[in-house]
Structure formats: C-alpha cells, structure tokens
Amino acid sequence: MNALTNKAKAVDRRPMTWLERIYLWNIAKGMAITLRHFFKKKATIKYPEEKRPFSPVFRGTQVLNRDEEGRERCTACGLCAVACPAEAITMEAAERKPGEEHLYREEKYAARYEINMLRCIFCGLCEEACPKDAIYLSETFAPANYQRKGFIYGKPELLIPDPKTQPEEYAKAKGQH
Amino acid sequence: MHLLAIDWMFLVEKLVLIVVIISVSLGVAMYSTWGERKVAAYMQDRIGPNRAGPLGLLQPLADGMKLFMKEEIFPASSNKFLFLLGPCLAMLTAMMTSAVIPWSSPLKVSGHDVPLQIADVNIGILYIFGVVSMGVYGIMMGGWASNNKFSLLAAIRGASQIISYELAMGLSLIALLMLTGSLSLKTIVEQQSHGLWNVLYQPLGFIIFFICALAECNRTPFDLSEAENELNFGYHQEYSSMKLGFYLFAEYVNMFISSAIMATLFFGGYNIPYVHIADPNVAAIVGGLALFAKTVFFIFVFMWIRWTIPRFRYDQLMRLGWNALIPLALLNMVITGAVILWLKK
C-alpha cells in the first residue's frame, strides 16, 4: 500500500549491537538528551504576568459593537440567534423613543440580549450572520464564574464600552491588552 | 583517667558536630526537594516552582507546612505502634550513616585538633552497611502495619530489591577495600590525598556501587516499591500528612548521604587534587566545601537519571541485580586481587 504522507517511519528490527545490549551506552545517550533540554529555552509562559498573544482569527468572548458615535449597532433582527448552532442567543426587541437617537443607531434595538456562555461553542457564526456588524468575537477569554447563572451574559457584560467616554475599557474589551 | 570523669571538651565538640551535621543534611534534603522539581522542570522545558519566594526558594517550607496541616489518618486495623515506627526508622537509618563520614580535615581550635567527623571508627564501611540494611525494616514496617495487601506487596518488593542490591554493593566495595586495606573512611580519604582518586583504580566498582546506591535510595529507575502510576501506590499507600512526609524526606536524606559516601570513597572526599593549603582551618573549610560540591554534583546526577530513565520491570530489576551486577562485582574483585598480587611480585 502506498502511503499518502511520508510521516510513517519503518520500525528498525535489526538485532541489537553489543553496545546496545550492555544498555549503559544507551542510557548515556538518553542522559545527554535530557541534559541538552536542561539548557534549552523554556517554552513556558508565566500566565498571569505574561499573556500569549492571540492570533487575529482567535475567537474569544463576544462583544456587541457600537458605531463611531458610540451608538449601539444591534437592531435585534435575530439572525445571530437563528445562525447559532448551540441556540445560545436570545433577545427581545424594543422601539427607539424620540430623544434616544444618540443611544441606538436605528429605530429598533435590543432591549434584552443574552448569550448563554455555557452553550456557546465560539464558532463565530453569529458574527458571520450579523448584517449590521453588531456582534464580534473579541480576542479575550470568557472569564470563569462560580454559578451557572453567572454565565448567562446580558447586555451589561456584552456591550462594548463607549470608545469616546471610556477608551481604555473599550480597548480592553476588544482584546488589545 | 578516672572512669567517671567526663571529658567535657569532647562531649561539647561532638554535640556541636552532631547538631551541625544533622541540620546540614536536613537542610540539603529539604532543598533537594526543590532541586528535584527544578531539575525535572528544566529537563522537560518548564520552569518549575517559582511562586513561593525568589526562584521558588521558599517552596520546601510551603510543602512542609502543607504536610503538617494535612489530616492524620490511621487505618482502623493498623498496628499503630509499628505504623508510627516505620517512618521514624526510615528517617533514623538515613541520618545515622552520616556519623562516620569525614566531612573535612580537622579544624584547629586553640592548638587542639577537632576532627570534623562524628565518629572515626575503624569499621566505618561495615557500620554503613549495618545501618543501611536496617532501612529495610522501615519499609517492611510501613507495609506490614498498614494492614493493606497492596502496601505489603510493595514493601516486599522493596525489601527484596534492597537486599539484592546491597549484596552487589558490598561486593563492589571489597575490591576497593583490598586496595586501601582499611575499613575506616578517614584512612580511605587520606590515602586519596597523596595519589589519585579511587575511581581511577576502580571504575567498574564505582559504576556498580553507583547503580546499587540508586537502588538503595529507592530512586528511579529502581523505585518500584513506590510506583504510583503503573502499580498500586507503594508501601506508604496508607500514610498521610507528615508520616508520609518522613518517608519521602528520608529518601532525600538517603540520597544526600549516599552521594557523600560516593564522593568520599571514590572521589577523594574533601581533597582537591594538587591543592595543598597550609593553614589547617582554611584547608578544613575549603575541603568541606569541596566535599559538599562533589555531593551536590552526585545529587544532581541522581536527579538527572530519575528524569531520564523509565522504571524497571520487577523481573528486569532482579535480573540486573543478580545476573549482571553481582557477577561483575565478583569479576572486579578477582581482577583487583590478581593485579595486587602481580604488583607485589
């Protein structure tokens, strides 16, 4: 049979030489390997102090985006909830009142928007489905929690901070640490 | 001198020496636990303990505190006296061997020679073997008193291993004793100060002794009496908190002492080749540091081996001991004897 890849290695079944049979020589060879590793650069990242930079395509916890003027982009169309294979997203729509134009970009907005992080599989389909560029997967982790209800993220957890009034928090939520 | 007249000077000298040597060996054993973890980490491309104190140097204290705070458990059907005696005996035998090791050349305190050795007995090596063979009882007691079949099996495994390797260890030293003609460790060290180190005359003897020392300390690849992953956990399976700590700690004390013995017997002890210091006090301090450095090197080699070689299977272990090491030790003995005879002619 022809192998598709050339990764397979043939097993060496030659009889052991004298050096191999006395065993000590191969132990010395093994010890040389471990000693080499002793002086190698360590692969460890000291987590709380150092953080591994994520790749740009990393799919972390979701954020609800704002536009340049700080208005919410989401119009509660529900396409993300439909696209979600884990059925983690629910929302309730509401109508924008006069005088709220600086808060919501369009006439309809999400009064309630929840993602159950226990169900979310970070597939990114919500991001793809959104016609308004409102939902994004950021480059941050979903933090741990003590209770199950703590994992149901509402708008306070998801909505990205206003880039004008809170630039630091905005950057942090986007994952540029 | 009157029989009841106590030589106070002698008593104080020895007491101070005992306290110092015991605290040094305990300290070294404590820090070998840290060293072990660091060596393991570095060989596996990790960093190892680095949270407690600078470089994780307070880690042994943290580990000790943790062990003290753990719950003390006595199995309901165990023999409590033997159950407690086991770890104590393991520790005791590990510590007792340090009595005959000459740690350095004598200090001169107000014109009076103070030997840095607790007891310069003329049967030093016999004493070491006598005490080391007691270490089996610590293991057997632990396994037996737990009243657990798996612990008992592990203890028997450990005991048979230690006894078989002690044979080869003793035989490997006979050739050395034929060369030096003395059982006193001090004499053996002093003989090496003039000529070359014994390891050059007895390379095979050293290798056999080293392998047996590994087995005696229950270190990998000979640690199947405490094989936690592939067999049931060893003779100290039923042990908790500081009692377990004592067993594990005794292993490190053992490692320190057997490294010191190896450095003394085969690597010139406190001698540094081609270095002679006139001032006896400076010589004693430098010599002590030299022995310490050699000992630490051997401890490192022990750890290096542990993180390189996998554990032996039980039958392999026995075959190596009885079919390889003992015949080799006998061969070494015959060759040494023949060479000595030939040189005399």
Side-chain angles (χ1 to χ4, degrees):
Chain A
M1 201 178 81
N2 247 355
L4 286 176
T5 62
N6 51 1
K7 282 180 191 161
K9 275 184 189 162
V11 180
D12 189 356
R13 293 197 194 281
R14 274 176 298 176
M16 283 197 283
T17 59
W18 184 80
L19 260 182
E20 282 166 345
R21 260 187 294 130
I22 62 164
Y23 194 67
L24 278 177
W25 175 245
N26 279 26
I27 284 183
K29 273 195 342 203
M31 286 174 71
I33 290 171
T34 40
L35 193 67
R36 238 176 290 143
H37 276 270
F38 194 86
F39 297 108
K40 265 190 188 166
K41 198 175 165 292
K42 308 300 166 216
T44 320
I45 287 178
K46 298 178 188 171
Y47 170 63
E49 292 98 37
E50 292 170 32
K51 281 178 182 153
R52 186 188 292 275
F54 293 122
S55 82
V57 295
F58 179 81
R59 296 198 289 234
T61 183
Q62 291 90 343
V63 290
L64 283 177
N65 221 0
R66 292 174 190 270
D67 69 358
E68 308 77 44
E69 293 162 43
R71 297 180 298 187
E72 285 175 32
R73 281 172 169 271
C74 178
T75 61
C77 64
L79 281 178
C80 51
V82 173
C84 182
E87 298 192 348
I89 305 177
T90 56
M91 68 192 72
E92 265 167 31
E95 202 175 334
R96 185 176 71 183
K97 302 256 165 26
E100 288 182 334
E101 284 85 0
H102 66 290
L103 291 176
Y104 312 111
R105 194 175 150 107
E106 307 202 14
E107 281 118 46
K108 200 171 137 220
Y109 71 95
R112 194 168 67 86
Y113 192 101
E114 281 177 1
I115 302 180
N116 185 344
M117 296 310 260
L118 294 169
R119 307 195 71 169
C120 177
I121 54 169
F122 299 98
C123 61
L125 289 183
C126 47
E127 182 181 326
E128 276 177 37
C130 186
K132 296 287 180 187
D133 275 353
I135 187 160
Y136 271 101
L137 273 76
S138 67
E139 287 173 33
T140 53
F141 277 130
N145 215 311
Y146 286 106
Q147 267 129 20
R148 297 182 73 85
K149 65 181 178 201
F151 283 105
I152 297 171
Y153 281 22
K155 267 176 86 176
E157 289 90 7
L158 291 168
L159 199 60
I160 201 161
D162 198 323
K164 281 186 198 157
T165 55
Q166 300 164 288
E168 271 179 40
E169 285 85 349
Y170 176 77
K172 206 178 156 199
K174 279 176 79 179
Q176 295 161 345
H177 37 250
Chain B
M1 199 165 53
H2 193 267
L3 268 179
L4 286 175
I6 301 167
D7 187 351
W8 286 107
M9 186 68 193
F10 178 80
L11 205 66
V12 169
E13 192 183 294
K14 290 299 174 199
L15 273 178
V16 169
L17 205 59
I18 287 170
V19 169
V20 168
I21 286 173
I22 285 182
S23 26
V24 166
S25 27
L26 287 181
V28 171
M30 245 170 92
Y31 274 92
S32 350
T33 61
W34 170 84
E36 175 101 61
R37 291 174 64 181
K38 274 284 185 197
V39 167
Y42 270 69
M43 286 182 174
Q44 296 163 351
D45 293 341
R46 298 184 284 117
I47 290 171
N50 65 346
R51 293 283 133 182
L55 290 170
L57 276 171
L58 297 178
Q59 193 65 44
L61 293 179
D63 289 343
M65 290 244 290
K66 189 195 92 175
L67 280 172
F68 270 115
M69 286 175 187
K70 292 250 168 177
E71 191 187 355
E72 288 269 349
I73 296 168
F74 286 92
S77 52
S78 68
N79 182 333
K80 291 205 176 47
F81 177 66
L82 290 182
F83 194 70
L84 270 179
L85 195 62
C88 298
L89 204 68
M91 198 68 177
L92 194 73
T93 49
M95 303 288 311
M96 267 166 72
T97 337
S98 64
V100 289
I101 299 172
W103 295 99
S104 190
S105 51
L107 273 175
K108 234 183 181 66
V109 183
S110 56
H112 174 73
D113 266 355
V114 180
L116 292 182
Q117 184 182 14
I118 295 175
D120 180 18
V121 285
N122 54 6
I123 50 154
I125 291 174
L126 283 185
Y127 169 84
I128 287 175
F129 277 109
V131 171
V132 163
S133 62
M134 295 282 288
V136 176
Y137 290 100
I139 289 176
M140 274 313 282
M141 268 182 200
W144 172 257
S146 305
N147 205 359
N148 174 332
K149 289 182 185 70
F150 295 105
S151 297
L152 182 62
L153 278 174
I156 292 171
R157 227 164 41 224
S160 60
Q161 168 199 324
I162 285 183
I163 289 170
S164 347
Y165 278 78
E166 218 165 65
L167 270 174
M169 195 184 209
L171 287 175
S172 73
L173 273 192
I174 288 179
L176 180 78
L177 299 180
M178 280 154 70
L179 271 179
T180 56
S182 169
L183 282 165
S184 154
L185 274 88
K186 191 153 184 68
T187 321
I188 293 175
V189 171
E190 266 157 18
Q191 275 170 346
Q192 292 177 84
S193 71
H194 305 302
L196 292 157
W197 289 351
N198 279 336
V199 68
L200 297 170
Y201 300 116
Q202 288 289 327
L204 184 61
F206 169 68
I207 290 170
I208 296 168
F209 188 86
F210 183 78
I211 294 171
C212 294
L214 274 178
E216 285 287 316
C217 296
N218 267 328
R219 299 280 302 177
T220 327
F222 304 101
D223 66 339
L224 48 98
S225 61
E226 52 188 73
E228 60 271 61
N229 357 359
E230 56 266 52
L231 307 166
N232 204 306
F233 192 46
Y235 56 90
H236 40 38
Q237 187 185 22
E238 299 285 353
Y239 280 83
S240 60
S241 76
M242 209 53 207
K243 298 194 293 300
L244 174 70
F246 253 51
Y247 266 130
L248 303 181
F249 200 58
E251 180 189 307
Y252 285 95
V253 178
N254 246 331
M255 191 164 73
F256 171 62
I257 301 291
S258 49
S259 300
I261 291 172
M262 261 186 290
T264 307
L265 289 179
F266 290 98
F267 285 82
Y270 50 77
N271 295 307
I272 311 172
Y274 309 113
V275 174
H276 292 285
I277 300 164
D279 185 24
N281 284 346
V282 177
I285 291 164
V286 172
L289 289 178
L291 178 61
F292 190 75
K294 288 171 193 171
T295 309
V296 169
F297 172 74
F298 278 116
I299 293 178
F300 174 74
V301 175
F302 271 48
M303 289 172 181
W304 183 8
I305 288 176
R306 172 162 182 187
W307 298 103
T308 304
I309 310 174
R311 200 170 273 143
F312 277 118
R313 219 170 49 213
Y314 186 64
D315 61 318
Q316 291 172 332
L317 173 106
M318 280 294 150
R319 201 168 63 213
L320 180 71
W322 290 91
N323 287 1
L325 292 183
I326 292 178
L328 277 176
L330 287 170
L331 180 76
N332 190 32
M333 230 160 84
V334 171
I335 293 171
T336 312
V339 169
I340 289 174
L341 211 65
W342 180 66
L343 283 179
K344 267 187 185 162
K345 275 184 183 171

